[in-house]
Amino acid sequence: YPALHDGERPRVVTLTSAGHSRADVDLEDPNFERSEYSPWVAYGRAKTANALFARELARRAGPSGLLSFAVHPGGIITDLGRHLTDDLIREMADFARARSKAAGESGESHGLHFKTVEAGAATQVWAATSSDLAEHNGAYLADCGLGVLGADPGVNGFLAYLLDEENAVALWQLSERLVGQRFDPESL
């Protein structure tokens, strides 16, 4: 953090995804020790945690000038999904269609929106470089714009639990306990 903080216009860009809409974080059972494991619920919890991390980092380190953003790059077909089974892919597609329908989307895509790798990188690059984002520290970004509360997460929307400040603080504190480190930007 000291090296990051001492940099010119420091920023942290954390990747999340529309997958956050699968699940909020579970602070009581973060490692599925008491509940049945589900790959997509685990993915959703992780992507929600990433977005909450970005918000809480902005709150904690923003006063010292650091900017922090959560970025949904969009659906991109890469080798990342090479270990997904046909059943998991089908489950993902079914969920995306239902999510888009619930958000009121119509059209041919049926909830599945794919970008090129370059288009997927665009929001990350924008988040890391744009001077227009200074007033939006901690924001959820998608499709080179600010995320839209309640819109289709498969496009540029996000769910309200990404704004839960209490959960963001509690997740941060849990993370500190789990890794055995405390982060206080004011003490540096």
Side-chain angles (χ1 to χ4, degrees), residues 38-179:
S38 161
W40 288 123
V41 171
Y43 183 75
R45 288 180 185 180
K47 294 307 173 178
T48 296
N50 287 356
L52 291 173
F53 166 82
R55 286 187 68 77
E56 186 60 11
L57 180 61
R59 188 187 71 77
R60 289 173 183 258
S64 67
L66 182 130
L67 296 177
S68 173
F69 303 104
V71 170
H72 167 45
I76 306 162
I77 298 176
T78 67
D79 211 24
L80 221 76
R82 67 187 172 276
H83 300 295
L84 293 176
T85 65
D86 289 343
D87 286 343
L88 285 172
I89 291 169
R90 198 170 14 266
E91 186 181 337
M92 175 188 63
D94 290 346
F95 182 84
R97 281 189 285 274
R99 179 186 61 209
S100 292
K101 186 176 179 183
E105 181 188 304
S106 61
E108 296 297 314
S109 70
H110 303 291
L112 300 173
H113 305 273
F114 292 104
K115 296 179 175 184
T116 65
V117 171
E118 295 80 7
T123 304
Q124 297 163 62
V125 172
W126 179 67
T129 61
S130 176
S131 59
D132 296 336
L133 292 171
E135 298 301 316
H136 303 285
N137 203 5
Y140 179 92
L141 308 175
D143 210 19
C144 291
L146 295 173
V148 179
L149 177 62
D152 182 0
V155 181
N156 66 345
F158 66 94
L159 300 184
Y161 52 73
L162 296 189
L163 301 175
D164 187 327
E165 299 296 333
E166 272 185 36
N167 256 3
V169 170
L171 178 65
W172 190 280
Q173 292 168 343
L174 173 63
S175 299
E176 287 180 329
R177 285 193 304 277
L178 290 173
V179 300

Side-chain angles (χ1 to χ4, degrees), residues 23-46:
D24 194 357
V25 293
D26 183 342
L27 299 172
E28 300 302 316
D29 188 22
N31 297 316
F32 290 89
E33 295 169 327
R34 293 182 298 279
S35 57
E36 183 178 346
Y37 178 78
S38 161
W40 288 123
V41 171
Y43 183 75
R45 288 180 185 180

Side-chain angles (χ1 to χ4, degrees), residues 7-26:
E8 186 178 331
R9 299 185 324 235
R11 291 183 193 216
V12 173
V13 177
T14 304
L15 290 184
T16 184
S17 96
H20 82 271
S21 63
R22 294 298 296 233
D24 194 357
V25 293
D26 183 342

